[in-house]
Amino acid sequence: TRASVLRTLSDRVHTTGEISRTLNISIASASEHASLLRAAGLVTSQRCGNTVQHWLTPLGLEFLHQPG
């Protein structure tokens, strides 16, 4: 599931709710995956009002697009 979150974030910024709907997982699960990916330095998150937006860091992009 965590890899799916990374792939979901590869095209644009997504909110936690968008990740949840896209992957058919709970909002709590989407939030937890984003938090763990953020701790690993692969995702950046920013609160915007009552939502949180997530996007890949340069390291996350590199990790996602590495060969092999």
Side-chain angles (χ1 to χ4, degrees):
T1 302
R2 216 159 286 136
S4 295
V5 172
L6 278 176
R7 283 191 298 276
T8 298
L9 295 174
S10 68
D11 63 343
R12 64 180 178 88
V13 174
H14 287 272
T15 65
T16 307
E18 290 170 337
I19 294 168
S20 168
R21 286 187 296 278
T22 299
L23 299 178
N24 198 29
I25 58 176
S26 70
I27 290 177
S29 180
S31 178
E32 183 175 346
H33 286 297
S35 178
L36 290 168
L37 291 166
R38 188 171 49 254
L42 302 175
V43 168
T44 297
S45 303
Q46 180 176 336
R47 178 164 290 284
C48 296
N50 63 349
T51 65
V52 179
Q53 296 180 330
H54 310 279
W55 60 93
L56 294 182
T57 63
L59 179 62
L61 282 167
E62 182 179 329
F63 180 81
L64 188 63
H65 296 293
Q66 65 184 340

